Each structure stands twice: as structure tokens, then as C-alpha cells.
């Protein structure tokens, strides 16, 4: 596996190009490595696989494919997932989890019962279950995160799932686990208390009070089974469609503030109006929502000692073209991403890093085929545009998030005022500064002067740019129009000047002394 920070040197062979100095836009950034926001939790670089379309069957897992290993896992997909440095992997849904009965998915595969799958209107074979998932997470090198069924599921069912996965005692559940081939417990730490339980579309949807009471008893049983589990409560993400999302979050936290460790929030964005400037500013809304949720958490926790609840932004992505469910069955939610989508993804990751003190987990939805960075057919795969920012962040944006002084020219869009053309975050880890920057301007270069307050640049600065010929450029099975390329940058003393190309995402990596 590639080591972190050697990425641009070892993978990207493009020649170094010095960019021109003639841009019209100028910005300034001041960096003080002691001015920190918080520790960047590696779980910000999580992902998600759901029993939906071709994400699992036909993506992660394809028993009939010549590209699969003896256990049915697609080797090419596994390799691409490993190179993405996925830190935590959520499963089995999503909406799917709300009618998933885990006991259907264990034991000999040929004896598992096929069931009607109502979330996405198909039949679930149950051939990919708990063992298949937990083994997969292990192979990817990701922490598993199981989202339990708090829709149609029962307290017993969820308690026994934790026991099956985590207990070292000799019980009926652990005997069953051993009989199915796994002697040692997996020790799964992260468990979701249901998915989007605020939504009327969710199977087993409840009011906030009913969910709060039900989830509290489930949480107690789960923690009594294994006190080490960390629980993710289902928050409301349904901003502006008639659901009282802040009220839901307040009520649910009142019930769960002594049990939950995270509040789950989701956000998908799109560009249906074909308005680049407005779309690129979507992360401003994300940042506002993070602050609102943080306030609700702080209020709930104001009378609770020695406990913290963080945000798990455990579904996020660009998703708007393939929203319909008209292809009920197999090929659904298959977005084909372009350059502007990749830029939005980079700005979302910047927002998570810039709120690293409160956002401690984030899961791009989803890993393969379904609104995903990896796209397969029966012969192979290609990496979608959004793969690259996620990969570069996951590999290099670690350590402490830094609070930057940013003075950037701004613009206005349909939904937002004061949008900085320069969207940026920075991290500092063991003497290395990593900055991730998006130039939101569609056709102008952005010249930025970086100034270090407390340190000095200690050598050459590596720059990797993700860009393409056009904001609508896409990757396909025939080739990649959007991919990373090495650029060069020269720093002197405390200063670095860098020209960010129009519609680009760039990662700068510098040693500081
Ligand atoms: O990721 C696709 C779907 O979006 C998930 O199943 C659901 O949780 C969300 O609404």
C-alpha cells in the first residue's frame, strides 16, 4: 500500500509545470501552526456500502465474476477501495437497514433466505451478511460501522447482534458465530441507532419522542452487552422540507444524551439549475448546518458532565441526476461525476476539516457504483472524478486542523453572499503542513500569498492539482479527463506564492522548520 505523503511522487508521473503569474485575482493566507481547531479524526475519511443497486452485489461482491476472489469479493474494487485509504466503513444502509434482519445473513450462503427488500424495491439474497461485511472491512483496512435496524427491528435483535459480533463469553450467540467460522469476536466499536428515522419514507419511522424512547432502550442493551461500543443516534437532516429538523435533534438528544456518542447527519447536494458558482458554494450551507447542530449538541450537553457527543456526517455527496428510482432493481442511483462535482467534494472535505473539533466522522455515500467514486462494469472499473479529492485528503490531511486567516476576493450567487473564491483548509502533522484549496472561479487564476507566522518553509513544496479541460469533464471506462497532476511551487523563508488554476482543487504539502 502507498505510504502517506509519498502519493504525488510515487503515483503521479506528470511533469512539473510552473503556472503563470498573470492572474487577476489575489488572496492572502496567514498560517500559525499553534492556532488549532482540533484533532482531525481519521474517521472523516469514511465510506459507506448499502444493499442498493450495484453497490454490494455487482460492486463490492460478485460471486460469478472472474474478477472476484474465492469468497466473491471483486479484487479490482478492493484494490481501489484500499488505495482510497477508507478509515471507517458503514453498512448495511441507509434506508435498507430499517428492515434488515441480520440473522438472515449468517450461516451457509445457500441456505440463507431471500427476502423482499422494500427500501429499494428488490429482493435481498442475503448472500452478503455480517461475516462478509466484517471480513471486507478488515481487508480494506477500515473500522466497521454497523447501522442497526431500529425501524422494524427489535431490542433483542440489536442486542444479540452486538453479542454475536463482540462477546467473548460462551453463549448461544457466540457459539453460533463460531459455528459460522469466526472464533474471536470482531469487537465492532461503531453502531448506528437506525437510519434517518425522522423521515416518513423510512420503514418503522417514528416521532422524535417515540424514536428517542425506543433508541434509549436499545442503546442501554447494546452498552450493557459491550460497554466499549460507540453509538450513533439518528439525527434529522431534513432541512426545509417540512420536517422540524432542529426540534427532532433537540428531542432525540434529550433522550440519548447519556448514551449516544455521535449524532448522525446527512447532506446531499446538486446542480439542477446548472449554476456553477452557486453549486460550488454548497459547502457554505454545510458549514452553517454543522454550526447549528453543534449548538444543539452543546445545549443538550450543558447539564451533562464528562461526556461529549460529536457529529457523524455519515452520508454526504453530490447526488441529483440519478435520484429517481425508475430503474427499480439493479442499476439505480448511478451518478456519473464531472469536474465540478469533484470540486464540491473537495469543499465538503475542507468544511469537515475546518470543523474538526465537532465533526469526528464523515462517510461519503457510497463506495461503488451507487453515487460513488468507483464505477464498475463486468470487465473492470474506472475512478470517477470525486475519487481523487477524497484520496488526497485521506492520505495527507491528518493531525491538527489549523485555523487560517484568509483574505480572498468574494462573489455572490443565487443562494449565498460573500462566497470566497478561495476555499481552503490546512492541517499540520509532525512538521508537515498540508493545505487543500479550491479555486471556485470558473475561468480566472487565483494568485495566493501564503505567510507563515511561527515557522519557516523547510524545502520544496509539493503541489498536486485535480483539474480537467472543462467543469463538465467526466471520466469514463475509456479514459480519465479529470485526474491529479503534479505542479511545482517554490517557497522562500516564510512566504509561498501559488497560482491556483481556474476551477481547480490543489493539495500543497510543505515541510516546516
Ligand atoms: O445513500 C442513499 C440513501 O440516501 C440512503 O439509503 C438513505 O439513508 C439516504 O436518504
Amino acid at each position: 500500500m502507498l505510504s502517506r505523503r509519498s502519493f504525488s511522487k510515487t503515483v503521479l508521473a506528470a511533469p512539473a509545470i510552473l503556472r503563470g503569474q498573470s492572474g487577476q485575482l489575489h488572496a492572502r493566507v496567514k498560517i500559525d501552526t499553534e492556532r488549532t481547531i482540533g484533532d482531525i479524526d481519521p474517521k472523516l475519511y469514511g465510506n459507506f456500502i448499502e444493499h442498493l443497486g450495484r453497490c454490494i452485489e455487482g460492486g463490492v461482491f460478485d460471486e460469478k465474476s472472474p474478477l472476484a476472489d474465492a469468497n466473491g469479493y471483486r479484487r479490482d474494487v478492493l484494490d481501489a477501495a484500499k488505495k482510497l485509504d477508507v478509515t471507517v466503513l458503514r453498512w448495511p444502509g441507509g434506508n435498507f437497514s430499517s428492515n434488515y434482519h441480520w440473522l438472515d445473513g449468517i450461516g451457509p450462503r445457500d441456505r440463507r433466505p431471500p427476502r423482499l427488500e422494500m427500501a429499494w424495491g428488490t429482493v435481498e439474497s442475503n448472500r452478503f451478511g455480517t461475516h462478509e461485511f466484517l471480513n471486507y472491512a478488515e481487508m480494506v483496512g477500515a473500522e466497521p460501522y454497523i447501522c442497526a435496524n431500529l425501524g422494524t427491528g427489535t431490542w433483542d435483535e440489536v442486542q444479540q447482534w452486538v453479542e454475536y459480533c463482540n462477546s467473548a463469553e460462551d453463549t448461544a450467540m457466540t457459539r453460533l458465530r463460531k459455528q459460522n467460522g469466526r472464533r474471536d469476536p470482531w469487537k465492532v466499536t461503531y453502531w448506528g441507532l437506525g437510519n434517518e428515522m425522522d423521515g416518513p419514507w423510512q420503514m418503522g419511522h417514528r416521532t422524535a419522542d417515540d424514536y428517542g424512547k425506543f433508541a434509549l432502550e436499545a442503546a442501554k442493551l447494546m452498552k450493557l452487552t459491550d460497554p466499549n461500543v460507540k453509538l450513533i443516534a439518528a439525527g434529522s437532516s431534513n432541512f426545509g422540507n417540512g420536517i422540524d429538523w432542529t426540534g427532532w435533534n433537540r428531542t432525540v438528544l434529550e433522550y440519548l444524551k447519556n448514551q449516544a456518542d455521535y449524532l448522525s447527519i446527512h447532506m446531499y447536494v446538486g446542480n439542477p439549475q446548472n449554476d456553477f458558482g452557486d453549486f460550488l458554494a454548497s459547502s457554505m450551507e454545510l458549514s452553517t448546518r454543522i454550526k447549528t447542530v453543534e449548538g444543539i449538541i452543546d445545549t443538550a450537553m450543558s447539564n451533562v458532565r464528562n461526556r461529549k457527543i460529536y457529529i457523524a456526517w455519515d452520508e454526504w455527496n453530490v447526488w441529483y441526476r440519478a435520484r429517481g428510482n425508475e430503474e427499480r432493481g439493479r442499476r439505480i442511483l448511478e451518478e456519473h461525476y464531472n469536474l465540478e462535482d469533484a470540486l464540491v467534494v473537495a469543499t465538503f472535505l475542507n468544511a469537515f476539516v475546518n470543523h474538526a473539533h465537532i465533526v469526528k466522522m464523515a462517510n461519503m455515500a457510497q463506495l461503488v457504483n451507487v453515487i460513488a467514486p468507483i464505477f464498475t462494469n463486468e470487465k473492470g472499473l474506472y475512478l470517477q472524478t470525486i475519487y481523487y479529492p477524497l484520496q488526497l485528503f485521506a492520505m495527507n490531511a491528518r493531525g491538527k486542523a489549523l485555523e487560517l486567516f484568509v483574505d480572498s476576493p468574494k462573489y455572490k450567487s443565487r443562494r449565498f453572499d460573500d462566497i470566497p473564491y478561495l476555499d481552503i483548509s490546512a492541517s499540520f502533522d509532525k512538521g508537515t503542513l498540508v493545505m487543500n484549496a479550491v479555486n471556485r472561479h470558473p475561468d480566472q487564476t487565483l494568485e495566493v500569498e501564503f505567510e507563515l507566522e511561527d515557522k519557516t518553509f523547510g524545502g520544496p513544496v509539493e503541489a498536486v492539482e485535480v483539474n480537467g479541460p472543462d467543469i463538465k469533464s467526466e471520466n469514463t471506462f475509456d479514459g480519465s479527463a479529470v485526474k491529479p497532476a503534479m505542479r511545482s511551487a517554490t517557497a522562500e523563508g516564510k512566504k509561498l506564492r501559488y497560482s491556483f488554476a481556474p476551477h481547480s482543487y490543489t493539495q500543497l504539502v510543505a515541510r516546516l522548520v
Side-chain angles (χ1 to χ4, degrees):
M1 190 156 148
L2 289 164
S3 64
R4 297 201 169 92
R5 301 223 166 88
S6 62
F7 175 70
S8 53
K9 279 191 191 131
T10 53
V11 184
L12 308 166
I17 296 167
L18 247 179
R19 301 204 71 82
Q21 304 289 310
S22 59
Q24 296 149 7
L25 295 169
H26 297 266
R28 286 185 309 138
V29 176
K30 291 194 202 176
I31 306 145
D32 182 337
T33 63
E34 290 186 329
R35 192 176 277 274
T36 59
I37 297 168
D39 289 327
I40 298 172
D41 195 311
K43 291 192 293 300
L44 288 193
Y45 312 122
N47 222 297
F48 169 37
I49 55 172
E50 177 166 7
H51 294 248
L52 198 184
R54 300 190 305 128
C55 180
I56 293 182
E57 289 202 22
V60 161
F61 186 70
D62 196 344
E63 292 170 284
K64 296 199 178 96
S65 168
L67 297 173
D69 68 12
N71 294 312
Y73 301 112
R74 277 272 299 245
R75 286 186 309 263
D76 54 343
V77 174
L78 176 64
D79 190 45
K82 280 185 181 169
K83 289 191 177 132
L84 203 48
D85 237 358
V86 177
T87 49
V88 55
L89 192 60
R90 181 174 183 248
W91 170 85
N95 296 341
F96 174 84
S97 57
S98 294
N99 189 39
Y100 178 61
H101 300 284
W102 69 272
L103 282 157
D104 289 342
I106 57 169
R109 278 186 200 159
D110 289 336
R111 280 196 241 142
R112 297 184 196 169
R115 301 266 185 213
L116 265 194
E117 199 296 285
M118 279 98 73
W120 303 104
T122 180
V123 171
E124 171 54 43
S125 72
N126 279 306
R127 296 182 72 80
F128 188 98
T130 300
H131 289 251
E132 286 77 13
F133 167 65
L134 291 172
N135 292 343
Y136 194 67
E138 229 161 53
M139 289 191 295
V140 170
E143 283 257 14
Y145 161 11
I146 294 180
C147 183
N149 174 1
L150 264 70
T152 63
T154 64
W155 291 324
D156 277 347
E157 208 177 343
V158 68
Q159 181 280 322
Q160 287 175 354
W161 205 357
V162 178
E163 184 180 332
Y164 186 88
C165 293
N166 288 7
S167 179
E169 302 291 345
D170 180 28
T171 69
M173 279 297 130
T174 61
R175 283 183 193 176
L176 192 56
R177 183 186 74 219
K178 287 174 198 157
Q179 191 184 309
N180 290 330
R182 176 79 186 199
R183 197 194 57 191
D184 297 326
W186 284 281
K187 296 278 172 203
V188 178
T189 304
Y190 300 97
W191 293 83
L193 295 166
N195 175 70
E196 293 185 356
M197 297 309 300
D198 60 315
W201 59 88
Q202 202 67 218
M203 293 173 282
H205 160 62
R206 291 167 168 78
T207 64
D209 278 298
D210 287 348
Y211 167 72
K213 286 177 201 161
F214 186 70
L216 175 60
E217 295 313 307
K220 275 160 54 182
L221 289 165
M222 292 161 96
K223 288 205 167 173
L224 285 170
T225 308
D226 180 354
N228 295 318
V229 296
K230 301 270 184 219
L231 302 178
I232 298 107
S236 177
S237 322
N238 287 291
F239 313 89
N241 69 356
I243 296 173
D244 173 15
W245 73 278
T246 52
W248 171 280
N249 292 331
R250 270 196 301 273
T251 304
V252 160
L253 286 176
E254 270 317 303
Y255 285 101
L256 291 170
K257 61 190 178 187
N258 290 306
Q259 299 288 343
D261 300 283
Y262 299 83
L263 185 68
S264 147
I265 306 286
H266 298 170
M267 185 175 174
Y268 294 101
V269 294
N271 189 14
Q273 317 240 17
N274 197 16
D275 180 342
F276 177 79
D278 194 66
F279 181 42
L280 262 279
S282 302
S283 62
M284 306 226 343
E285 191 172 348
L286 172 67
S287 298
T288 305
R289 292 181 187 184
I290 292 172
K291 287 188 196 108
T292 306
V293 176
E294 182 181 7
I296 295 171
I297 294 175
D298 284 349
T299 311
M301 301 310 279
S302 60
N303 55 6
V304 181
R305 291 223 181 113
N306 303 325
R307 287 206 89 235
K308 291 284 280 177
I309 293 185
Y310 296 107
I311 298 174
W313 211 285
D314 56 11
E315 287 186 31
W316 67 273
N317 207 341
V318 172
W319 174 25
Y320 68 109
R321 289 156 291 222
R323 222 133 181 146
N325 211 7
E326 61 280 355
E327 297 173 87
R328 284 174 84 83
R330 305 305 301 152
R331 301 184 72 98
I332 57 173
L333 277 53
E334 297 195 354
E335 285 275 358
H336 296 276
Y337 290 108
N338 59 27
L339 172 59
E340 65 181 16
D341 301 326
L343 301 181
V344 168
V345 161
T347 62
F348 267 51
L349 291 162
N350 273 343
F352 294 139
V353 170
N354 283 327
H355 297 90
H357 63 293
I358 183 73
V359 184
K360 293 291 185 188
M361 189 193 298
N363 305 67
M364 175 182 267
Q366 303 186 5
L367 186 66
V368 192
N369 293 330
V370 171
I371 44 173
I374 301 167
F375 199 89
T376 70
N377 65 13
E378 57 294 339
K379 295 200 194 109
L381 63 77
Y382 73 88
L383 304 177
Q384 297 230 52
T385 61
I386 61 170
Y387 183 94
Y388 296 109
L390 190 61
Q391 183 187 41
L392 284 161
F393 270 83
M395 293 181 107
N396 294 329
R398 304 282 183 130
K400 301 241 179 251
L402 300 185
E403 190 177 349
L404 300 171
F405 166 83
V406 181
D407 178 17
S408 165
K410 293 180 174 156
Y411 68 101
K412 219 172 143 66
S413 76
R414 268 184 313 113
R415 290 179 297 162
F416 307 98
D417 293 326
D418 291 331
I419 309 158
Y421 280 110
L422 177 65
D423 183 73
I424 187 161
S425 71
S427 57
F428 187 61
D429 190 24
K430 300 187 201 94
T432 299
L433 172 72
V434 176
M435 292 189 287
N436 288 287
V438 172
N439 177 3
R440 287 187 170 119
H441 204 289
D443 46 41
Q444 281 188 38
T445 299
L446 180 57
E447 292 196 347
V448 182
E449 183 182 275
F450 295 94
E451 190 179 348
L452 295 174
E453 297 293 298
D454 63 331
K455 298 229 182 265
T456 307
F457 286 101
V461 175
E462 284 179 35
V464 182
E465 180 185 307
V466 177
N467 208 339
D470 187 81
I471 54 174
K472 302 293 182 189
S473 301
E474 290 182 10
N475 297 346
T476 66
F477 285 107
D478 297 327
S480 295
V482 177
K483 58 183 175 215
M486 270 185 82
R487 304 293 183 217
S488 73
T490 317
E492 250 186 71
K494 289 182 168 297
K495 294 225 173 152
L496 162 71
R497 280 173 191 279
Y498 192 84
S499 295
F500 293 97
H503 55 67
S504 62
Y505 154 63
T506 306
Q507 183 171 83
L508 299 169
V509 179
R511 285 293 300 167
L512 305 187
V513 288

